[in-house]
Every structure is written in structure tokens, then in C-alpha cells.
Amino acid sequence: MAWKQISAICFISIVIMLALPTVGASNASLSDLKSTISSFDDPHMDAEDLAFYLVTHDFDAKPKGGYVEVGLEGRICKLTPNGSAPGLCSITV
């Protein structure tokens, strides 16, 4: 292919990517979060593991020391892993 054709294809690809809607944080609710964390127990899960688990389930989660912050419906929820207690963690809104 000629240089002009390659440049045109790249330009069109960039325009298409910019026109697509961007992916933002999920529109999950507090009930979605509660359902996700009560689905199973893991007494060995720490804050890093919990944040990873929540991110893989489309939550905006960040580990902060011994707890995880989750952006949810315009608020920040604090989730603390609860070890051997039922569910994965406790939630403070």
C-alpha cells in the first residue's frame, strides 16, 4: 500500500475511535455490590484481593491499606475484608 492509503486508514480509524462512546465507571447500585460480595466467602481475602475481585466485576474499586474504596452512585463506600465472617467484607457508606 502507498503511504497515503495507510495514512488515510489510520486517520479514519482514529476518527471512528473518537466517535465511539467512552467506557466509564459502571452504573452498579448498592444492591449489586451487596449481591456480589455475598456470593461466596474467602477468609484469606485481603484488601488487594477484594479490590481485584470487585474490579473484575465492573466496580470502581481501589485498595487503600486494609480496606477498599468503591465509587458507587456518586458516593464512596468503604469495604473492609471480614475474614471468617459470612460474605467477603463489611460495607460502610
Side-chain angles (χ1 to χ4, degrees):
M1 280 189 181
W3 177 250
K4 288 183 180 182
Q5 292 173 328
I6 293 173
S7 296
I9 291 171
C10 289
F11 178 74
I12 291 170
S13 298
I14 290 171
V15 169
I16 290 172
M17 288 184 342
L18 292 174
L20 295 174
T22 58
V23 176
S26 74
N27 292 326
S29 66
L30 185 57
S31 63
D32 294 334
L33 179 61
K34 287 180 180 180
S35 174
T36 302
I37 63 170
S38 65
S39 61
F40 73 95
D41 298 327
D42 184 354
H44 302 290
M45 185 172 278
D46 63 5
E48 295 277 329
D49 297 332
L50 179 60
F52 178 78
Y53 174 75
L54 293 171
V55 167
T56 60
H57 286 83
D58 296 326
F59 288 95
D60 180 23
K62 295 177 186 84
K64 301 280 185 174
Y67 65 94
V68 177
E69 287 185 348
V70 176
L72 193 64
E73 298 176 332
R75 347 174 239 195
I76 301 293
C77 298
K78 180 180 172 182
L79 282 69
T80 307
N82 58 1
S84 61
L88 294 177
C89 60
S90 57
I91 302 173
T92 305
V93 180

